[in-house]
Amino acid sequence: MKNSIKVERAKKDITQADLAKVIGVSRQTINAIEKNKYVPSTVLAIKLAQHFEVAVMDIFTLEEND
Amino acid sequence: MMKLLLPSAFRTIGLIMCASSLLYVFVLIFMNFGSDGTNLWILEIPWQLFMVSMVFVISARRRVEDEMIATLRLAAFQRGLYLGVIISFSYFVLNLMGLDFRLLKALHGINFILLYVVLSFEYQLRKLNHEE
């Protein structure tokens, strides 16, 4: 699964640490999600989407092998 | 503030304690200390200290509530469990064969497994720390 968190973050001009603080997770978690090393829970995915004011599927998209 | 400082202090103290006690244990083992069967209690002290320090480190991380950290922690414990089974089984088989490996004897036990769990967990977190 790929995601566009880095792009959304760039649009809002916020750092991983800022985003982590707002969402209530560690900076490593945001980093791991961005690098596709960790698939977030549904709750976290919705929190991220709400923060960026977009739909969850606009941020997270399935790849062919998923 | 204390909520942030306390886990970090726990972890630092724990890591320093476990590194020094482990070093001491291995120095004693490689010097063949206690091979005559006496004074083994001296080896036991740092080993137990090491165990206490591991608990410090693990409890420090337990205080952090984060879903990815929880996943990493669980994965590290799983790997530790596999390693524990492998070490215990090897030790058991070698004992049956009448072989006594001093190092394996030292590794046999919960302390080494805890060390592996903590180090592998810390390593995974460090890896994520340096990527941005």
Side-chain angles (χ1 to χ4, degrees), chain A residues 2-46:
Chain A
K2 56 183 181 178
N3 66 76
S4 59
I5 293 177
K6 199 170 184 174
V7 178
E8 296 294 337
R9 211 162 46 76
K11 279 184 200 167
K12 286 207 165 197
D13 194 24
I14 54 170
T15 63
Q16 285 183 342
D18 296 334
L19 180 60
K21 202 173 175 184
V22 175
I23 301 295
V25 292
S26 65
R27 192 185 64 78
Q28 288 102 326
T29 301
I30 300 295
N31 190 21
I33 297 170
E34 279 187 9
K35 302 267 175 191
N36 290 325
K37 286 183 178 174
Y38 176 69
V39 178
S41 67
T42 316
V43 175
L44 184 51
I46 292 171

Side-chain angles (χ1 to χ4, degrees), chain B residues 7-26:
Chain B
S8 158
F10 261 128
R11 197 161 55 92
T12 311
I13 294 166
L15 284 174
I16 291 169
M17 274 169 67
C18 73
S20 49
S21 55
L22 195 70
L23 186 71
Y24 183 51
V25 167
F26 277 89

